[in-house]
Amino acid sequence: GVEPHPPPEPVGTMPTPGADGAFATKGDACAACKFKATGSCAMYLSCRCFATNAYFGNVGLPEPTDQDNWRWACGDEGGDKYELCFKASEVQSGQTYLDNFGDEVDPNDPKCPQ
């Protein structure tokens, strides 16, 4: 039968968003995505973190003082303004496997068994 598997511990620390709910940097938005997604097997297996700055200037209006409004998403379906957070690939020569969050993983001992 199938044995239950507890959710993994989140990786990293959760950055504090600004008063507007956005993050001040792309790095903070990516770290928030990684923290949230690595603490859930469903998200760990399906999420690739992307971030975008949701600040868009408006012609004819004064420039706001806060021009860093970084948000994260588990995909780039929002368009080309979303940037990939972490390099994730497989390197055959060194037999190094990276998960979607840029961390090394052992394919014979998965974080979230399927």
Side-chain angles (χ1 to χ4, degrees):
V2 177
E3 292 190 27
H5 185 33
E9 288 295 318
V11 174
T13 57
M14 180 66 184
T16 303
D20 59 2
F23 295 95
T25 66
K26 177 184 175 185
D28 282 354
C30 290
C33 178
K34 183 174 185 173
F35 183 83
K36 292 288 190 177
T38 56
S40 157
C41 278
M43 285 185 72
Y44 179 83
L45 294 171
S46 62
C47 183
R48 289 205 64 193
C49 294
F50 286 80
T52 189
N53 187 357
Y55 162 75
F56 304 104
N58 291 312
V59 176
L61 293 177
E63 289 291 318
T65 55
D66 180 7
Q67 297 181 11
D68 286 301
N69 297 292
W70 289 89
R71 305 287 182 160
W72 62 268
C74 280
D76 64 348
E77 293 82 7
D80 59 0
K81 290 188 181 285
Y82 280 82
E83 304 168 15
L84 183 63
C85 287
F86 308 104
K87 177 186 174 200
S89 66
E90 171 182 325
V91 180
Q92 288 293 340
S93 61
Q95 293 300 308
T96 299
Y97 296 85
L98 300 178
D99 63 13
N100 285 344
F101 311 97
D103 295 329
E104 288 188 25
V105 293
D106 179 353
N108 297 315
D109 185 21
K111 186 173 190 169
C112 291
Q114 295 182 31

